[in-house]
Amino acid sequence: MISIADAVGTGAALCSMTSFVPQIVKIRRERDASSVSLRMYAVTVTGFSLWIAYGVMIGSWPVATSNAVCLALSATILALKWRFSHGAAATAP
């Protein structure tokens, strides 16, 4: 039987992981990431990296794994930001 704490943790992990998907879809569809804050996502990626390290250090694989998924998704947004920012600069006259 799942504990209340496990249910809350699972819900939190699912919310965190899925929160990045609409942003990725929007950026890819519009091919524009100008509204994305580079600093915010750089800090977010750093934070998820630290959460992964923390999860590994305390032996909490749910913490490490859910944050690894969040890291991959937020890093995708950062990469798209870089890609479309540099692509726009390269095509400007």
Side-chain angles (χ1 to χ4, degrees):
M1 184 160 171
I2 190 167
S3 72
I4 293 174
D6 287 340
V8 169
T10 299
L14 289 172
C15 286
S16 294
M17 290 185 278
T18 58
S19 69
F20 294 101
V21 175
Q23 185 72 62
I24 293 170
V25 170
K26 181 180 186 296
I27 293 169
R28 291 187 70 102
R29 183 181 330 118
E30 296 176 3
R31 303 185 64 75
D32 176 31
S34 60
S35 63
V36 172
S37 169
L38 183 61
R39 287 182 184 158
M40 185 276 233
Y41 273 92
V43 171
T44 299
V45 165
T46 302
F48 286 131
S49 298
L50 293 171
W51 272 114
I52 293 166
Y54 174 73
V56 170
M57 286 180 196
I58 67 168
S60 177
W61 298 109
V63 170
T65 304
S66 62
N67 281 288
V69 172
C70 290
L71 173 63
L73 293 169
S74 60
T76 298
I77 292 171
L78 234 151
L80 290 170
K81 170 74 174 175
W82 184 83
R83 176 181 176 193
F84 292 126
S85 294
H86 284 63
T91 60

